[in-house]
């Protein structure tokens, strides 16, 4: 076992942890980044599966994600647009297939009018409440104690409209059923993307991808930091701050903190914990975290989604005049997109099976699950979708160092109750993760913002 002395220890080499380390290093601090997995990137991960390059985790960039866009420019990384020419497909609740262009589903006119009205109400709430501190708004408690499902039905009696709006946030983003999170949480999700209208506009949210994959952003940051900074296969087990009375109340900035992992022990002055909040309890904190943190962390959980990848000899849907984009609230795959790689002759589709539907198909044998998922793709794009040459299901729920996808959100009532405290440092420990972000919440952009913010606070001694 190696013993090291560094100014700062960063736990986790996802985008948040690596941006924290990068910012600290640029300011002249010595840093160690300890990563549990045998790779960097966390929930961004590219793999070659049966000869196909697949982005298993986070991949898309939207035009408002300026922290990520700035980093891409600094690292010299190119982006390319998601293919979206041609008609999209909407599968209505009765199972009928409709093609359309533009951003609004071809639902019946009354439902479309209701959807537009609901989007207007939500845009108003988002503009009023914002992403920075939704818990501080006068309506916070009211909106945080009603589920998004029930709130939508208080606003409208059009079930199809409620469902279509609900899934943008539920299956589409938080990957939890709309009854399991609050309207305030839905407002935060939309505010983090600028507006509810942005959130429901796939051409905005799912605009571009990174040539070489999103994980390569973390790999480039890690390469710049070097091998004596980033330690892989190094799960952190214990963070001990040894003050005179062993309580955080006794903490004085600059006192040493020791971080134990499976491979190295590091003595430092500051720690940035850059792992999702559902994993904080995998680390022993000595002395124990204060009551508020213990309670808060039990109310933050990850959603569940299967990201399905299906690769075909050609992007056959394009020849049929289809963009590859499809939506259907009642379909097993609620969303499908053309995910063909930059410069690739083969065509790739990506589709998502979320929350309770994911539970249902995970209970089935793998072959049965694959058959049902491909049948759902065929409902959108025709029978050729039934026979991919490569098929893969991203399953972050099974990954010990993530345990779900895409990210963490509060249970009903948790956001207004705890949100103000989620980033409060505890002694020498600061928290950074996309799941605590305002702008870019649940996204790589938010992770980078959080990493930079935690590092800036270490440098200024703020909040400790
Ligand atoms: P993570 O990426 O989770 O990194 C945390 C790191 O900490 C991990 O490497 C983990 O191994 C490590 N760790 C955990 N515990 C310990 C420990 N005890 N000791 C040491 N290390 C530890 N975002 C987008 O912007 N666009 C998308 O299109 C998009 N799609 C997504 C699709 C999927 C399937 C998933 C799962 C996510 C997606 N996201 C997307 C979300 C995005 O990937 C995350 O928001 C981002 O990766 C979070 O970065 P992070 O650094 O905060 O956390």
């Amino acid at each position: 076992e190696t013993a090291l002395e560094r100014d700062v220890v960063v736990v986790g080499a996802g985008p948040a942890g690596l941006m924290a380390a990068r910012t600290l290093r640029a300011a002249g601090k010595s840093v160690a980044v300890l990563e549990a997995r045998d790779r960097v990137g966390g929930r961004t991960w590219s793999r070659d599966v049966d000869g196909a390059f697949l982005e298993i985790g986070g991949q898309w960039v939207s035009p408002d994600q300026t922290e990520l866009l700035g980093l891409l420019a600094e690292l010299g990384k190119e982006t390319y647009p998601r293919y979206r020419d041609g008609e999209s497909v909407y599968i209505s609740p009765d199972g009928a297939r409709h093609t359309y262009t533009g951003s609004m589903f071809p639902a019946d006119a009354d439902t479309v009018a209701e959807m537009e009205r609901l989007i207007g109400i939500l845009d108003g709430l988002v503009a009023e409440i914002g992403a920075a501190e939704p818990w501080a708004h006068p309506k916070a408690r009211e909106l945080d104690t009603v589920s998004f499902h029930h709130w939508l039905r208080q606003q409208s009696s059009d079930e199809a409209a409620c469902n279509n709006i609900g899934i943008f946030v539920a299956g589409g983003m938080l990957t939890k059923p709309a009854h399991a999170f609050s309207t305030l949480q839905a407002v935060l999700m939309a505010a983090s993307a600028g507006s509810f209208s942005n959130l429901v506009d796939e051409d905005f949210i799912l605009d571009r991808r990174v040539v070489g994959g999103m994980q390569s952003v973390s790999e480039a940051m890690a390469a710049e930091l070097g091998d004596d900074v980033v330690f892989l296969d190094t799960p952190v087990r214990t963070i001990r701050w040894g003050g005179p009375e062993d309580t955080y109340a006794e903490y004085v900035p600059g006192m040493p903190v020791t971080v134990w992992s499976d491979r190295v022990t590091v003595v430092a002055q500051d720690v940035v914990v850059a792992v999702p909040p559902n994993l904080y309890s995998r680390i022993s904190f000595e002395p124990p975290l204060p009551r508020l943190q213990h309670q808060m962390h039990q109310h933050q959980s990850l959603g569940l989604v299967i990201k399905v990848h299906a690769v075909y000899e050609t992007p056959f849907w394009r020849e049929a005049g289809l963009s590859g984009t499809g939506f259907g609230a009642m379909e097993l795959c609620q969303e499908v997109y053309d995910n063909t790689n930059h410069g690739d002759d083969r065509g790739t589709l990506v589709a998502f099976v979320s929350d309770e539907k994911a539970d249902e198909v995970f209970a089935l044998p793998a072959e049965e699950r694959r058959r049902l998922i491909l049948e759902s793709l065929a409902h959108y794009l025709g029978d050729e979708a039934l026979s991919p040459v490569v098929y893969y299901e991203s399953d972050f729920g099974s990954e010990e160092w993530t345990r779900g996808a895409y990210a963490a959100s509060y249970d009903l009532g948790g956001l207004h109750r705890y949100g103000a405290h989620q980033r409060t440092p505890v002694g020498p420990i600061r928290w950074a993760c996309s799941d605590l972000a305002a702008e870019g919440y649940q996204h790589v952009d938010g992770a980078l913002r959080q990493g930079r913010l935690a590092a800036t606070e270490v440098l200024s001694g703020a909040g400790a």
Side-chain angles (χ1 to χ4, degrees):
E1 193 181 272
T2 321
L4 301 169
E5 277 188 36
R6 299 284 164 95
D7 295 325
V8 188
V9 180
V10 177
V11 183
L18 291 166
M19 179 50 107
R22 177 182 172 86
T23 309
L24 290 161
R25 270 284 291 264
K29 293 280 183 187
S30 62
V31 185
V33 182
L34 309 184
E35 166 55 49
R37 287 178 160 101
D38 61 0
R39 59 172 183 83
V40 301
R43 281 170 274 172
T44 65
W45 184 24
S46 306
R47 269 188 56 197
D48 189 285
V49 176
D50 301 332
F53 175 83
L54 302 181
E55 295 206 62
I56 313 292
Q59 60 167 58
W60 279 298
V61 189
S62 61
D64 60 327
Q65 296 181 333
T66 51
E67 180 80 32
L68 172 55
L69 290 166
L71 179 64
L72 292 173
E74 256 180 67
L75 296 172
K77 297 228 161 262
E78 303 286 328
T79 62
Y80 63 104
R82 178 174 58 81
Y83 182 87
R84 64 190 70 158
D85 298 346
E87 290 187 308
S88 301
V89 176
Y90 169 67
I91 300 182
S92 49
D94 60 3
R97 180 179 176 281
H98 313 262
T99 55
Y100 70 104
T101 52
S103 61
M104 187 49 89
F105 303 149
D108 72 61
D110 291 348
T111 294
V112 169
E114 268 307 84
M115 286 174 68
E116 279 167 351
R117 194 177 65 82
L118 289 168
I119 290 170
I121 297 171
L122 285 158
D123 273 341
L125 286 173
V126 167
E128 211 183 296
I129 294 172
E133 355 172 58
W135 45 83
H137 192 273
K139 286 183 190 153
R141 187 170 204 286
E142 178 194 329
L143 292 172
D144 202 32
T145 50
V146 58
S147 76
F148 194 45
H149 176 98
H150 287 104
W151 180 87
L152 284 166
R153 282 146 186 91
Q154 286 168 4
Q155 310 301 315
S156 173
S157 56
D158 186 321
E159 185 59 23
C162 291
N163 241 330
N164 284 341
I165 296 298
I167 64 164
F168 283 121
V169 187
M173 282 288 161
L174 301 180
T175 62
K176 292 178 175 178
H179 62 250
F181 59 86
S182 76
T183 304
L184 189 66
Q185 185 76 62
V187 167
L188 167 60
M189 188 70 241
S192 73
S195 68
F196 202 86
S197 298
N198 283 350
L199 194 75
V200 303
D201 178 1
E202 75 276 6
D203 289 347
F204 182 89
I205 284 291
L206 314 179
D207 183 27
R208 304 181 79 83
R209 291 172 64 194
V210 178
V211 175
M214 186 68 90
Q215 188 195 8
S216 74
V217 175
S218 286
E219 287 168 339
M221 285 195 281
E224 282 184 4
L225 289 165
D227 290 342
D228 60 336
V229 174
V230 182
F231 296 83
L232 302 179
D233 294 308
T234 307
V236 167
R237 306 294 183 182
T238 303
I239 299 177
R240 180 178 166 77
W241 162 71
E245 303 296 331
D246 277 1
T247 78
Y248 290 102
E250 302 291 323
Y251 173 71
V252 176
M255 285 180 167
V257 53
T258 308
V259 177
W260 278 276
S261 71
D262 289 6
R263 292 205 303 133
V264 294
T265 300
V266 192
V267 180
Q269 272 91 56
D270 293 277
V271 183
V272 175
V273 174
V275 314
N278 65 309
L279 296 182
Y280 294 158
S281 65
R282 294 298 311 278
I283 300 171
S284 295
F285 295 91
E286 299 179 7
L289 295 177
R291 179 197 309 109
L292 180 63
Q293 273 71 18
H294 280 167
Q295 281 282 300
M296 173 167 62
H297 299 157
Q298 295 180 68
H299 293 273
Q300 293 163 292
S301 58
L302 267 74
L304 177 69
V305 65
I306 311 173
K307 181 177 182 180
V308 177
H309 313 257
V311 182
Y312 303 87
E313 289 300 354
T314 62
F316 62 85
W317 53 93
R318 295 182 186 177
E319 286 138 45
L322 296 174
S323 62
T325 302
F327 300 100
M330 302 308 194
E331 275 296 313
L332 180 57
C333 297
Q334 233 173 243
E335 310 163 69
V336 52
Y337 305 99
D338 186 319
N339 207 35
T340 302
N341 293 318
H342 181 69
D344 199 340
D345 292 337
R346 298 204 281 186
T348 303
L349 292 175
V350 65
F352 297 93
V353 181
S354 185
D355 57 271
E356 292 179 311
K357 288 174 184 157
D359 294 340
E360 278 169 34
V361 292
F362 271 137
L364 301 172
E367 275 308 306
E368 178 74 354
R369 181 167 62 247
R370 172 185 161 131
R371 186 179 65 75
L372 291 172
I373 287 172
L374 290 174
E375 278 175 12
S376 181
L377 289 185
H379 294 164
Y380 290 100
L381 298 170
D383 282 351
E384 276 177 89
L386 294 170
S387 318
V389 289
V390 177
Y391 175 86
Y392 182 80
E393 297 165 359
S394 296
D395 175 17
F396 274 90
S398 297
E399 294 264 325
E400 178 172 20
W401 301 107
T402 302
R403 306 189 168 200
Y406 309 107
S409 50
Y410 283 99
D411 56 15
L412 201 64
L415 180 58
H416 86 286
R417 189 174 172 194
Y418 299 110
H421 307 286
Q422 64 188 7
R423 293 194 59 263
T424 306
V426 177
I429 303 160
R430 283 182 174 74
W431 318 95
C433 180
S434 70
D435 310 14
L436 309 179
E439 288 165 287
Y441 170 57
Q442 298 220 350
H443 286 80
V444 172
D445 178 74
L448 297 171
R449 288 173 194 272
Q450 285 274 302
R452 183 191 292 282
L453 184 60
T456 307
E457 289 177 357
V458 167
L459 294 168
S460 70

